[in-house]
Amino acid sequence: MSKKILIVEDEQDILQLITFHLQAEGFATLTALNGIKGLELAKEQIPDMILLDLMLPGMDGLEVCKTLKRDPKTENIPVVMLTAKGEEIDRIVGFELGADDYITKPFSPRELILRLRAILRRYETEKPTPSKISFGDLQIDLDSYRVWIDKEQIYLTITEFNLLLELLENKGRVRSRNQLLDRVWGYQFDGYARTVDTHVRRLRQKIGPYADAIETVRGVGYRFKDSE
Amino acid sequence: MSKKILIVEDEQDILQLITFHLQAEGFATLTALNGIKGLELAKEQIPDMILLDLMLPGMDGLEVCKTLKRDPKTENIPVVMLTAKGEEIDRIVGFELGADDYITKPFSPRELILRLRAILRRYETEKPTPSKISFGDLQIDLDSYRVWIDKEQIYLTITEFNLLLELLENKGRVRSRNQLLDRVWGYQFDGYARTVDTHVRRLRQKIGPYADAIETVRGVGYRFKDSE
DNA sequence: AGCTTAAGTGACATTTGCGTGACGCGGACG
DNA sequence: CGTCCGCGTCACGCAAATGTCACTTAAGCT
C-alpha cells in the first residue's frame, strides 16, 4: 500500500512541484495551504508523514509541529520541516519541537525523495524499503551516501551521487538532459543543459569500470544499461 | 522537435508580445483571440501546452479550461492561466478547474519562458504512453529508444527511430512526405521533401527483413504495412 | 514500346552532438 | 585570510548524423 504524505505549504508552485514528484514516486498526497487546514487533515487522515513548511500564513510551521506532537493521535507521525536557506537557527528549534528532519529550500526532487524514503525507512517496522542498490559490483548505500566498486569505496559528490541514482533507478530508460536537470538539480536551476554532460563525464571517470554502463543516446540523453 | 503552444488572449499587444518571445525561443505558436476559437484550435491541433488568459470576451478562461479538461482529447494538455495581479482568489479556482499553473501579469518574457520550460519538462516524464510497440519480430522500446529484430538489437539514429515510430504508429495509413516532415522533423523544417526518401532508405536498410513492411505509395508517400 | 515522372541509391559537404580539458567563481574549512 | 573543492560554463576537436544532389532504376500511361 502506498504511503500517504501530507504536504503543508502555502506557495502554490512549490506545492505543485512537490506533489507532482511524490506522486510520480508512487506516494499518495494530501495538501493543505495553511497550518490550520494542515492540522485538521493530519488528525482526520493520519498520514504516514508530514511535510511542513516553516513559514505559513496564520499559524506557522513550528506551532503546527508542536500541536501535532502534543496530540497522541498524531504524535508518532514523522514531520519534516521545509525551511528556506538562512533560517538556520530554526533548524534546531524545529528539532526541539519534535520535527524529525528538515530540508532546506531550494532542494532537488531527488534529494527530497531520498530524504523521505530514508525517514520512512527509519519509521517502518513491517516492510523495510531497501537502503542499498547495486549493479554488479557497484554498490550504493542510500542512507550513508556511499558508493563502492568491488568492495572499494569511491567518493562521489552529492551531484554525482544523485545523478548516478537517478540514472540507476531508471535503468534502461533514457533521460533527457532537461529531465535530469529537473530531477537532479531541481526547479530553481536555470542554466546550460550541457552542464549535465560534464557531470556525466566526472561520474564516468569515478566509476571507472562501469563508465560505459552509462550509455549515451545521441540526440536524446543518457541511459543506464539495464543488464549487466 | 519544437513544442507547439496555443495562446488564447484577447489583447492584441500582449498576444503579440508573447508570440514574439515564444517564437524567438523556438516554440511554434498558435493563437486565438477568444475562448471559442481557442477550444476549436486546441481540439484540432493538440498543442503541447495552452496559455490561457483568464479574462476573455464571451467564454472566459475558467470555462475554457473546464471544457478542455473534460474532453479526453485535450485533458492531458497542460494549461497555464494568465491572470492579472489582484485576481489572487482565482488562482485557486484555476487549480480546482484543472489548470496546471498560472502566471500573473505583468510578467517578464524571461519569467514566462522559464515557467513554460519547467512545466513542459515536468510533463515530459508524465506522458503515459505505452512503452513498447512491436510488429512481428520487430520490437521497439520507447523508453530506452532501442529496437530489436528477432531479439537482436539494431541501432537507429533518432531520426530513423522517430520515422519508424511515426509510420508504425499509423500502420496502414499513408503519410505524405510533407506530413512526415511535419511530424518527424518538426514544424520549422523547410527543406527538400525528398530528404524523407533518403531516410526511408536508410531505415529500410537497417531493418533488413522488414524493409518492405514500409511500402511506397507512388505519387503519395509511404505507409507501414497493415498486417504482418 | 517509348515516354514521363516518381522513387531508389550512393557519394559528399555540412551540420550537429558529444567528450574533454581548462578556467573562474564561490563557499567551506582550516 | 588563504586554500581547496565542487560546480557551472566554455571552447575545441572528433565522429556521427543529416540534407542535398546527380544519377540510376522502376512504374504508370498512351
Side-chain angles (χ1 to χ4, degrees):
Chain A
M1 188 176 40
S2 81
K3 297 285 175 181
K4 193 161 43 171
I5 301 190
L6 167 63
I7 308 156
V8 189
E9 165 69 63
D10 62 314
E11 286 170 74
Q12 288 272 5
D13 43 354
I14 299 190
L15 184 59
Q16 281 246 314
L17 187 85
I18 299 178
T19 31
F20 172 78
H21 283 286
L22 291 187
Q23 284 174 3
E25 289 295 315
F27 293 111
T29 57
L30 296 164
T31 60
L33 291 169
N34 60 61
I36 311 287
K37 262 268 177 257
L39 271 177
E40 274 173 32
L41 266 174
K43 278 180 200 165
E44 187 186 309
Q45 297 282 332
I46 314 290
D48 297 288
M49 167 173 291
I50 301 174
L51 273 182
L52 189 54
D53 191 22
L54 187 62
M55 302 282 288
L56 288 169
M59 189 179 193
D60 82 0
L62 295 180
E63 209 51 50
V64 177
C65 184
K66 252 197 287 188
T67 315
L68 283 167
K69 293 298 174 182
R70 246 193 266 114
D71 185 332
K73 245 167 105 185
T74 54
E75 65 178 351
N76 287 319
I77 304 173
V79 173
V80 176
M81 301 290 292
L82 297 173
T83 74
K85 209 172 182 174
E87 300 174 331
E88 316 261 342
I89 325 110
D90 300 285
R91 293 183 177 183
I92 304 150
V93 183
F95 279 105
E96 275 171 9
L97 291 170
D100 297 86
D101 206 342
Y102 64 88
I103 187 163
T104 51
K105 293 190 267 189
F107 49 81
S108 78
R110 264 249 70 82
E111 222 174 310
L112 176 67
I113 303 213
L114 268 179
R115 206 64 153 272
L116 300 195
R117 287 230 192 99
I119 296 166
L120 284 173
R121 226 179 287 137
R122 230 185 286 152
Y123 275 77
E124 195 125 353
T125 33
E126 324 116 41
K127 182 189 70 189
T129 18
S131 68
K132 294 202 167 135
I133 296 189
S134 64
F135 180 86
D137 277 333
L138 181 68
Q139 292 197 314
I140 301 180
D141 181 345
L142 271 15
D143 283 333
S144 64
Y145 284 78
R146 285 183 298 179
V147 180
W148 297 265
I149 288 181
D150 208 12
K151 313 282 182 195
E152 181 101 14
Q153 187 173 357
I154 59 170
Y155 298 88
L156 303 184
T157 68
I158 305 287
T159 313
E160 288 156 4
F161 185 87
N162 288 330
L163 178 59
L164 175 58
L165 214 52
E166 172 64 20
L167 289 170
L168 196 46
E169 279 188 334
N170 295 285
K171 238 188 308 196
R173 196 165 316 156
V174 179
R175 288 270 179 242
S176 72
R177 288 173 177 70
N178 277 332
Q179 284 175 326
L180 289 170
L181 284 178
D182 200 22
R183 319 228 341 155
V184 176
W185 276 256
Y187 55 94
Q188 81 290 358
F189 184 85
D190 143 40
Y192 191 41
R194 291 213 46 206
T195 294
V196 174
D197 296 34
T198 304
H199 285 271
V200 166
R201 172 172 148 273
R202 289 173 184 153
L203 180 53
R204 275 176 176 160
Q205 246 167 14
K206 292 195 186 176
I207 61 175
Y210 287 92
D212 46 2
I214 300 175
E215 302 176 314
T216 305
V217 181
R218 194 176 233 270
V220 188
Y222 296 97
R223 168 184 61 200
F224 206 97
K225 249 199 195 157
D226 64 359
S227 63
E228 302 173 20
Chain B
M1 196 166 18
S2 82
K3 299 284 179 179
K4 193 162 43 172
I5 301 188
L6 168 62
I7 309 155
V8 189
E9 166 68 63
D10 62 314
E11 287 170 72
Q12 288 273 5
D13 45 352
I14 299 189
L15 185 59
Q16 283 233 322
L17 186 84
I18 299 178
T19 31
F20 173 78
H21 284 286
L22 290 187
Q23 283 174 1
E25 287 296 312
F27 293 111
T29 56
L30 295 164
T31 60
L33 291 170
N34 61 62
I36 310 286
K37 260 276 180 251
L39 271 177
E40 274 174 30
L41 265 174
K43 277 181 201 166
E44 186 186 309
Q45 296 283 331
I46 314 288
D48 298 288
M49 165 173 293
I50 300 175
L51 275 181
L52 189 53
D53 192 22
L54 188 62
M55 302 282 287
L56 287 170
M59 189 178 193
D60 83 0
L62 295 180
E63 209 50 50
V64 176
C65 184
K66 252 198 286 188
T67 315
L68 284 167
K69 294 295 175 183
R70 249 193 263 113
D71 186 331
K73 244 169 108 184
T74 53
E75 67 179 349
N76 286 319
I77 304 173
V79 173
V80 176
M81 301 291 291
L82 297 172
T83 74
K85 209 170 181 175
E87 299 174 330
E88 315 263 340
I89 325 111
D90 299 286
R91 293 182 175 183
I92 301 149
V93 183
F95 279 105
E96 275 170 10
L97 292 170
D100 298 87
D101 206 342
Y102 62 88
I103 188 163
T104 49
K105 293 191 267 189
F107 48 79
S108 74
R110 185 183 168 64
E111 210 178 322
L112 175 68
I113 308 255
L114 276 178
R115 203 65 153 274
L116 299 196
R117 285 253 171 78
I119 296 167
L120 283 174
R121 251 184 273 144
R122 228 187 288 156
Y123 273 76
E124 254 173 65
T125 8
E126 203 190 21
K127 229 175 277 171
T129 37
S131 69
K132 293 206 166 131
I133 296 189
S134 63
F135 180 86
D137 275 334
L138 180 66
Q139 291 197 313
I140 302 181
D141 181 346
L142 277 356
D143 280 338
S144 65
Y145 284 78
R146 286 179 296 183
V147 180
W148 296 265
I149 288 181
D150 207 13
K151 313 279 182 200
E152 181 101 15
Q153 188 174 353
I154 60 171
Y155 297 87
L156 303 183
T157 70
I158 359 161
T159 312
E160 288 156 5
F161 185 87
N162 288 330
L163 179 59
L164 175 58
L165 215 53
E166 172 63 21
L167 290 170
L168 196 45
E169 277 182 338
N170 297 285
K171 236 187 313 194
R173 202 168 318 157
V174 183
R175 304 250 93 136
S176 72
R177 289 174 175 69
N178 279 329
Q179 281 176 324
L180 289 170
L181 284 178
D182 267 358
R183 323 230 342 159
V184 177
W185 277 255
Y187 326 84
Q188 81 293 357
F189 183 86
D190 79 326
Y192 191 40
R194 292 214 46 208
T195 294
V196 175
D197 296 34
T198 303
H199 285 271
V200 167
R201 172 174 146 271
R202 289 173 184 154
L203 180 55
R204 277 176 174 159
Q205 239 164 22
K206 291 195 186 176
I207 60 175
Y210 286 91
D212 46 3
I214 300 176
E215 302 174 317
T216 305
V217 182
R218 200 184 161 82
V220 189
Y222 295 97
R223 169 184 58 201
F224 205 97
K225 244 199 197 157
D226 215 347
S227 61
E228 303 172 21

